[in-house]
């Protein structure tokens, strides 16, 4: 069913006030086909909303906003060690992680407590604690918004990279992801090399114990959007050429840095922001979180523009001091009120 002039304020973790000209919660794939065909008939532009945890919403979303609510999932055993998991777009990501861990299926544990829904996970190739969705994903089922065509993309066709995929480029704004297919292991495969996970767990933890440990670390580090509006990391960790990293390290020997396979070096955006003395900065109704400089927060009543102005100030300060460009992670959607 299509609702008109729908309030979406509660539908984004930053808590920015937003109205959609039209909004449809899609209960099934059949309803998705039918509603999107109607949008095509009327020429409405379509935007897709997941859990709203990686979005900066401007006050007005014209056309039609759809949200996939269908959320079935099922297992397809492949052999003694491997299981294929089919999961529809509307399922909450963390609920999926918990359900898989409870069955001792290994692969998603380190991605525990990432907010949002399954359908959005491939967009920026969600990642945490040394694991990315791309490590587990086999294929993505989707529906093209412009002609209703349905297809399945292999992992290779998704062109995954750090916080990146084909869905941010050639397919940007062009598809509704309807289902993911993951490949998980029935053999214990804990990956505890990141942060202090190993220190928090015994030598042979269960998958659910890993999920619980990752969740605890995340709760300690990140503000809960239900309490303080935020979209998680506001900036991607910048990747710089080896030569620039070498020069920066000569000046800042303590700088966290992670050499990548292609010779470039990933830096920690939070560290760079912190070094500029911006942690805890408050500008009106928005600010930089006081424990995690990578997270911009909304104290209530602000607009997307206020948040973007703060983001520009943070990025400009880092560029001036380190000569490193910070790129925004959450996507911007909508426009000023008509
Ligand atoms: C506290 C906090 C912590 C976070 N931690 C992490 C982290 O550790 N790692 C990480 O990678 N991310 C993290 N994030 C970001 C966010 O959780 C992920 O990007 C998540 O996948 C977004 O899901 P969503 O359903 O909320 O998507 P939304 O924010 O609603 O949408 C994000 C983008 O995906 C598109 N989209 C959504 N659903 C679909 C669909 N079915 N088909 C096509 N396009 C779709 C939207 O149009 C939009 O462009 C964090 C966010 C918060 C608030």
């Amino acid at each position: 069913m299509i609702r008109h002039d729908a309030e979406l304020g509660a539908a984004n973790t930053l808590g920015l006030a937003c109205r959609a000209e039209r909004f449809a919660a899609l209960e099934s794939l059949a309803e998705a086909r039918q509603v999107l065909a109607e949008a095509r008939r009327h020429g409405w532009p379509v935007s897709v909303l997941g859990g709203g945890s990686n979005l900066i919403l401007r006050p007005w979303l014209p056309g039609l906003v759809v949200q996939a609510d269908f959320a079935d999932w099922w297992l397809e055993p492949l052999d003694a060690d491997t299981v294929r998991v089919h999961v529809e777009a509307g399922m909450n990501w963390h609920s999926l992680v918990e359900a898989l861990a409870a069955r001792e299926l290994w692969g998603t544990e380190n991605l525990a407590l990432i907010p949002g829904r399954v359908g959005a996970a491939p967009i920026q190739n969600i990642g945490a604690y040394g694991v990315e969705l791309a490590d587990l994903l086999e294929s993505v089922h989707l529906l093209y918004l412009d002609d209703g065509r349905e297809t399945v993309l292999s992992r290779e066709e998704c062109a995954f990279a750090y916080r990146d995929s084909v869905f941010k480029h050639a397919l940007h704004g062009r598809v509704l992801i309807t289902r993911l297919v993951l490949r998980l292991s029935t053999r214990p495969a804990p990956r505890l090399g990141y942060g202090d996970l190993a220190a928090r767990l015994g030598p042979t933890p269960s998958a659910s114990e890993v999920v619980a440990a990752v969740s605890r670390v995340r709760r300690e580090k990140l503000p809960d959007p239900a309490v303080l509006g935020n979209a998680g990391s506001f900036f991607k960790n910048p990747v710089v050429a080896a030569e620039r990293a070498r020069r920066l390290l000569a000046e800042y020997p303590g700088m966290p840095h992670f050499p990548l396979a292609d010779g470039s070096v990933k830096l920690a955006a939070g560290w760079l922001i912190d070094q500029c003395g911006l942690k805890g900065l408050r500008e009106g109704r928005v600010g930089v979180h006081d424990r995690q400089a990578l997270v911009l927060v909304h104290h209530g009543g602000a607009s997307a523009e206020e948040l973007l102005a703060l983001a520009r100030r943070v990025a400009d300060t880092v560029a001036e001091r380190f000569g490193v460009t910070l790129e925004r992670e959450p996507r911007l959607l909508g426009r000023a009120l008509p």
Side-chain angles (χ1 to χ4, degrees):
M1 195 189 65
I2 297 177
R3 284 198 289 134
H4 292 258
D5 194 19
E7 165 62 59
L8 295 184
N12 70 100
T13 58
L14 272 164
L16 295 167
C18 178
R19 303 193 80 79
E21 190 174 9
R22 299 173 194 84
F23 176 80
L26 308 169
E27 301 297 336
S28 64
L29 184 55
E31 188 181 3
R33 291 179 182 127
Q34 179 239 313
V35 167
L36 292 173
E38 189 172 345
R40 281 196 297 282
R41 270 198 306 281
H42 291 284
W44 298 329
V46 175
S47 308
V48 181
L49 184 67
S53 65
N54 207 24
L55 282 175
I56 302 166
L57 296 182
R58 286 199 162 115
W60 179 242
L61 288 170
L64 171 70
V65 175
V66 295
Q67 189 174 40
D69 275 355
F70 42 101
D72 274 353
W73 68 286
W74 62 97
L75 301 176
E76 180 192 348
L78 292 179
D79 56 43
D81 297 341
T82 326
V83 172
R84 216 177 246 151
V85 182
H86 299 256
V87 53
E88 290 183 332
M91 183 156 190
N92 174 274
W93 175 262
H94 180 66
S95 305
L96 174 71
V97 170
E98 284 187 317
L100 295 170
R103 287 163 178 77
E104 279 296 301
L105 293 174
W106 289 82
T108 59
E109 330 62 74
N110 291 27
L111 304 178
L113 219 62
I114 296 183
R117 298 176 177 211
V118 162
I123 306 286
Q124 71 155 359
N125 180 24
I126 56 168
Y129 298 94
V131 176
E132 290 183 338
L133 179 75
D135 302 334
L136 324 161
L137 187 116
E138 200 172 275
S139 60
V140 174
H141 292 235
L142 56 81
L143 205 158
Y144 282 91
L145 301 176
D146 58 357
D147 61 6
R149 211 164 19 107
E150 291 177 44
T151 191
V152 182
L153 295 190
S154 67
R155 177 178 48 196
E156 290 68 33
E157 288 169 314
C158 292
F160 289 123
Y162 166 65
R163 297 292 192 271
D164 203 16
S165 72
V166 69
F167 305 108
K168 287 187 160 188
H169 300 282
L171 296 185
H172 174 73
R174 292 185 51 205
V175 301
L176 174 72
I177 291 174
T178 54
R179 191 209 298 181
L180 305 191
V181 183
L182 310 177
R183 189 183 270 254
L184 300 188
S185 170
T186 57
R187 283 181 189 264
R191 277 154 300 176
L192 309 178
Y194 206 94
D196 64 350
L197 281 182
R200 290 172 180 250
L201 289 159
T204 53
S206 69
S208 293
E209 283 168 346
V210 178
V211 167
V214 170
S215 303
R216 263 197 309 278
V217 177
R218 291 181 63 97
R219 284 197 187 96
E220 285 165 19
K221 284 192 175 167
L222 289 168
D224 178 356
V227 178
L228 184 58
N230 75 89
S233 306
F234 201 89
F235 299 100
K236 295 183 191 178
N237 287 322
V239 175
V240 299
E243 176 52 24
R244 172 168 289 280
R246 201 186 53 69
R247 274 188 277 126
L248 283 169
L249 278 165
E251 205 175 332
Y252 306 97
M255 179 179 75
H257 60 288
F258 312 93
L260 302 179
D262 64 0
S264 59
V265 180
K266 195 197 280 183
L267 308 180
W271 186 88
L272 298 171
I273 298 168
D274 199 3
Q275 293 300 302
C276 294
L278 296 173
K279 197 193 266 182
L281 170 76
R282 180 153 178 176
E283 287 211 332
R285 300 174 287 190
V286 294
V288 180
H289 191 245
D290 55 8
R291 273 180 293 133
Q292 174 50 272
L294 196 48
V295 177
L296 300 193
V297 294
H298 175 210
H299 295 282
S303 66
E305 304 315 316
E306 285 172 71
L307 193 69
L308 293 171
L310 173 67
R312 270 195 301 279
R313 176 170 168 194
V314 170
D316 288 351
T317 310
V318 166
E320 231 165 77
R321 165 106 180 249
F322 295 101
V324 172
T325 305
L326 292 186
E327 207 184 312
R328 175 164 44 82
E329 189 184 294
R331 300 174 100 184
L332 185 62
L333 218 56
R335 59 183 199 213
L337 281 169

